[in-house]
Amino acid sequence: MSDERYMRRALELAALGAGHVSPNPMVGCVIVHEDEIIGEGYHQAYGGPHAEVHAVRAVQDPARLAASTVYVTLEPCAHWGKTPPCADLLVESAVKKVVIAALDTNPLVAGKGVAKLRAAGIEVEVGILEREVRHQNRRFFATLRRKRPYIILKWAQTADGFVARENGDSKWISSSLSRQLVHRWRAEEDAILVGAGTAIADNPRLDVRDWVGPSPTRVLLDEHLEVPEDRHVLADGQLTLIYHRQEEFTAPKVIQGPIYVPQGPGSQLHGSLEDLFGRGIRSIFVEGGAGILRSFVEQELWDEARVFTSAQRFHSGLAAPRLGVSAAHVEEIGGDQLAYYYREAQAEVADAPPGAFN
Ligand code: AOF
Ligand code: ZN
């Protein structure tokens, strides 16, 4: 089998960590001896062993490690973090060659892993499926350079570009397939965010019911604390972070579940994103409504957008935000069109741009 096929397998393994490893990257590892896979592993949970450790442990006959080639999607770490350095493990295992997809831009690692391996006489090759790995870990790479969470916008619009009718009614995406996909997407991010209007009008639960996976932290932007306490996001006893203006603050009547985070003057979006980043949130899925989505777009605080377009026409209503870039990828789902947008062309391979929080 070719290098690329083994690396593709490592990429596939890495994806199994989605939703469980943030703020760490997803990493997969495959160990090959005489064209046979003798060990596989991936980073399964934040704080747990790295991909290389699982793969080395999976090898039944350690004697075969010595002449093996290790395929790993990210540069093996060189630092003592929650676990010992993976580069040391590979050196001790005396593997013959290490094939890496992408270098780790974490300053604790950044090239030091490769240097350790080479210093020990291990052959190292970098760059196989790098693009794919940088895309898979775009949240990790982007937050390292921007110091704010990775932001994914999602909305549904009509063929004539409206996200809701004049009265704010937006419940027209009926495809159950789209709904299930949205639940899957929720499970892949650290937080899910809506504005007051959406919490009031749609009363969403913002959980993951139609997919198996962790439920993200719920975030409510409610500048003037307008959302009544009987809405699901406030009433169900689960955590919701509520960002509001300092001067609007009165002691919350609900004592279990919500956490009220007062914001000073200035941009509410910047303030809340900074606070969320400080709480360890590395990615946010923004579900609306129209006003909130427009604010994110206008302040260029987004990285990715996923837009459903139905065949229906409203002729008037609340207009969808304009992203100013063309779709990178378009597919069909449950009769709707689904388009993916990235704010920066090839964001996953771009070098550090001046970001909002740099
Ligand atoms: C690897 N293999 O599977 C992963 C790596 O806090 P720790 O000890 O888990 O270290 C986290 C950092 O290690 C993370 O920021 C990234 O730079 C690297 N992740 N490295 O060799 C892995 N998950
Ligand atoms: Zn490691």
Side-chain angles (χ1 to χ4, degrees):
M1 238 174 26
S2 69
D3 282 352
E4 193 176 314
R5 289 192 57 195
Y6 287 125
M7 192 61 88
R8 211 165 274 291
R9 174 63 187 150
L11 190 77
E12 199 174 271
L13 289 162
L16 298 173
H20 302 282
V21 299
S22 172
N24 277 356
M26 293 171 240
V27 183
C29 181
V30 169
I31 305 178
V32 175
H33 180 247
E34 289 177 354
D35 224 15
E36 186 192 337
I37 293 180
I38 57 168
E40 289 189 337
Y42 66 97
H43 188 40
Q44 298 175 3
Y46 177 72
H50 288 178
E52 299 91 322
V53 176
H54 283 296
V56 167
R57 280 185 195 160
V59 175
Q60 288 188 344
D61 177 6
R64 296 182 75 181
L65 268 177
S68 68
T69 298
V70 176
Y71 294 84
V72 59
T73 57
L74 190 73
E75 176 182 8
C77 66
H79 68 295
W80 281 85
K82 292 177 190 63
T83 60
C86 292
D88 291 358
L89 173 70
L90 298 181
V91 169
E92 285 156 22
S93 307
V95 303
K96 192 167 123 240
K97 183 175 173 184
V98 178
V99 182
I100 297 164
L103 293 178
D104 188 349
T105 52
N106 177 352
L108 288 172
V109 183
K112 298 186 191 92
V114 168
K116 268 194 179 188
L117 296 171
R118 287 201 171 127
I122 296 173
E123 188 188 341
V124 179
E125 199 181 320
V126 183
I128 307 261
L129 296 190
E130 178 176 3
R131 233 189 115 78
E132 285 82 349
V133 167
R134 292 194 64 89
H135 182 74
Q136 180 179 57
N137 282 312
R138 58 199 182 281
R139 299 161 186 80
F140 173 75
F141 288 115
T143 53
L144 270 175
R145 28 177 240 264
R146 296 210 187 97
K147 310 279 185 280
R148 65 147 168 84
Y150 188 85
I151 300 167
I152 301 173
L153 311 180
K154 181 227 90 184
W155 73 81
Q157 64 186 26
T158 58
D160 51 357
F162 296 103
V163 294
R165 294 193 188 272
E166 305 280 10
N167 63 10
D169 182 10
S170 61
K171 288 197 170 154
W172 54 269
I173 279 266
S174 49
S175 154
S176 63
L177 215 52
S178 305
R179 198 167 54 238
Q180 197 176 12
L181 181 59
V182 167
H183 280 226
R184 176 188 175 158
W185 286 344
R186 286 178 178 177
E188 290 172 350
E189 310 309 333
D190 292 348
I192 173 168
L193 182 151
V194 294
T198 299
I200 295 170
D202 298 352
N203 193 16
R205 291 172 194 273
L206 303 181
D207 60 5
V208 178
R209 297 185 299 286
D210 297 337
W211 194 259
V212 178
S215 285
T217 300
R218 300 179 305 186
V219 178
L220 173 62
L221 298 187
D222 187 6
E223 232 178 300
H224 307 296
L225 291 172
E226 291 167 305
V227 178
E229 283 162 13
D230 64 353
R231 303 287 97 174
H232 290 308
V233 287
L234 299 187
D236 66 9
Q238 305 296 309
L239 174 69
T240 301
L241 294 170
I242 304 157
Y243 292 90
H244 61 90
R245 289 274 180 199
Q246 175 90 55
E247 59 269 28
E248 306 281 342
F249 192 66
T250 50
K253 293 189 198 90
V254 194
I255 46 163
Q256 204 195 355
I259 293 178
Y260 289 80
V261 188
Q263 300 282 285
S267 163
Q268 293 291 287
L269 284 193
H270 279 89
S272 52
L273 290 172
E274 216 161 11
D275 183 82
L276 286 163
F277 193 73
R279 289 172 191 269
I281 300 286
R282 291 295 176 270
S283 67
I284 305 181
F285 192 58
V286 181
E287 294 211 38
I292 292 283
L293 289 163
R294 193 162 310 120
S295 306
F296 274 96
V297 172
E298 280 167 3
Q299 296 181 43
E300 297 206 341
L301 288 170
W302 66 283
D303 298 289
E304 190 171 328
R306 301 171 186 174
V307 181
F308 293 98
T309 304
S310 81
Q312 204 176 353
R313 287 177 183 275
F314 279 179
H315 306 290
S316 66
L318 302 177
R322 293 198 179 278
L323 293 169
V325 292
S326 46
H329 175 70
V330 179
E331 59 194 37
E332 206 219 283
I333 177 160
D336 297 325
Q337 186 209 66
L338 168 58
Y340 294 81
Y341 299 83
Y342 298 93
R343 189 167 65 86
E344 291 170 354
Q346 302 176 1
E348 69 282 9
V349 288
D351 285 320
F357 292 98
N358 279 345

